[in-house]
Amino acid sequence: MLDFFNKKENMDEKRNKLKRELIPNHIAIIMDGNGRWAKKRHLPRIAGHKQGMETVKNITKVASNLGVKVLTLYAFSTENWKRPDKEVDFLMDLPVKFFNTFVPELIENNVRVNVMGYIDMLPKKTQKAVYVAIKQTSNCTGMILNFALNYGGRAELVSAIQSIASEVSENKLEIEKITEKVVDANLMTGKLAPYNDPDLLIRTSGEERISNFLLWQLAYSEFVFTDTLWPDYSEEDLLANIYAFQTRDRRFGGLKEEKK
């Protein structure tokens, strides 16, 4: 991607490098590195989360303007409850502060909020902020800003299996009729159809793992790992990652016929 980071080019020139017809419909981001960003500056970890929230606002608007259909952000995993109570409490307050300040801009940019995860296990104030934001943006028809909040890929698969098994036991579904489409519909991303599966997964901070995120949906996603810490992640970083995506040869297990 070195050819993308040309310091002599302005942002408009960088945007023009992208092929509009190859903009990913669905981008998923594992927003990693908030704590390390804060530590490097001798600040408490919550300072990194606060700055990371500002990055969410910026990247949301950039992705929307590029024509991305769904932007899924891994905000809080089912495993993150293991973190110190003070940090968890702050993370549970973030959606309240985020939506209170950002929903008007989301509406202005025609962005609709969706949240997937075990929302009923969140504090009441967090649940309220989530549901209010979903309702307030429900008439927006542009990009879907999809937060994975108290989400875990394995738990999601278990829930989907339980739901399908229930339909079978109630004679609403025959075992032979269980297809990939049925599984898709029972996952938390089902309501994102036809853009259930991410085209591009980005993870910041240099870590190269998916951390129990969208285990089914990432089957044929392109992965891009960047060393940039999430609070430092910029429009230029996103453009560069999409540029890298556009250079990939996506065959989905098949072969493309060579031009004669």
Side-chain angles (χ1 to χ4, degrees):
M1 288 190 293
L2 291 177
D3 58 335
F4 186 86
F5 288 103
N6 186 331
K7 295 181 180 180
K8 295 181 179 180
E9 295 175 330
N10 60 38
M11 289 306 299
D12 285 335
E13 290 172 318
K14 293 180 185 297
R15 293 187 198 100
N16 289 335
K17 280 187 175 182
L18 300 182
K19 297 177 181 177
R20 291 290 165 168
E21 70 276 12
L22 294 180
I23 294 293
N25 287 316
H26 184 170
I27 297 176
I29 304 180
I30 299 175
M31 306 178 292
D32 198 12
N34 290 345
R36 274 166 283 176
W37 182 91
K39 186 177 180 180
K40 284 175 61 178
R41 290 160 176 77
H42 306 288
L43 297 170
R45 287 177 59 84
I46 58 176
H49 294 308
K50 185 175 181 180
Q51 185 60 39
M53 184 174 70
E54 297 304 313
T55 301
V56 169
K57 293 178 180 179
N58 181 46
I59 296 303
T60 295
K61 289 183 282 190
V62 172
S64 176
N65 290 334
L66 287 172
V68 174
K69 302 294 191 299
V70 178
L71 177 64
T72 295
L73 302 177
Y74 203 5
F76 191 89
S77 77
T78 49
E79 289 75 39
N80 286 155
W81 296 105
K82 301 172 186 176
R83 295 186 176 187
D85 290 344
K86 184 177 180 180
E87 182 174 353
V88 170
D89 290 343
F90 183 83
L91 290 171
M92 289 298 104
D93 278 335
L94 268 186
V96 180
K97 297 174 182 176
F98 177 84
F99 289 129
N100 281 346
T101 59
F102 197 44
V103 162
E105 285 189 68
L106 291 175
I107 295 172
E108 184 180 331
N109 285 272
N110 197 29
V111 173
R112 178 164 65 88
V113 172
N114 184 67
V115 179
M116 66 179 192
Y118 298 92
I119 302 174
D120 58 338
M121 297 175 64
L122 298 173
K124 294 298 182 183
K125 60 183 178 182
T126 311
Q127 291 186 43
K128 180 180 178 181
V130 164
Y131 289 125
V132 168
I134 290 172
K135 182 177 181 181
Q136 289 179 330
T137 62
S138 61
N139 292 325
C140 295
T141 58
M143 189 184 78
I144 297 173
L145 175 58
N146 180 43
F147 285 102
L149 190 58
N150 196 26
Y151 169 89
R154 288 186 173 183
E156 177 190 32
L157 287 170
V158 170
S159 295
I161 292 167
Q162 291 173 337
S163 178
I164 293 169
S166 178
E167 289 188 61
V168 172
S169 68
E170 295 172 6
N171 296 317
K172 295 179 180 178
L173 179 66
E174 298 176 11
I175 292 178
E176 296 77 14
K177 297 292 179 63
I178 299 175
T179 63
E180 288 190 13
K181 287 186 177 180
V182 171
V183 176
D184 279 340
N186 281 275
L187 294 173
M188 295 179 183
T189 47
K191 61 179 66 176
L192 301 176
Y195 307 114
N196 316 46
D197 301 339
D199 300 292
L200 171 61
L201 171 75
I202 299 168
R203 181 169 186 148
T204 58
S205 87
E207 303 291 352
E208 298 184 2
R209 55 181 178 270
I210 59 175
S211 298
N212 197 22
F213 187 45
L214 300 173
L215 300 179
W216 171 279
Q217 297 91 332
L218 292 175
Y220 279 105
S221 304
E222 297 294 329
F223 290 12
V224 172
F225 300 106
T226 173
D227 290 334
T228 304
L229 301 175
W230 177 248
D232 290 329
Y233 193 80
S234 66
E235 176 178 4
E236 185 175 23
D237 290 305
L238 181 62
L239 296 178
N241 293 161
I242 293 175
Y243 181 78
F245 165 83
Q246 293 186 346
T247 65
R248 308 278 178 89
D249 182 14
R250 304 187 76 201
R251 300 185 299 276
F252 300 94
L255 294 174
K256 292 184 179 179
E257 293 184 10
E258 293 185 5
K259 295 181 180 179
K260 297 182 179 179

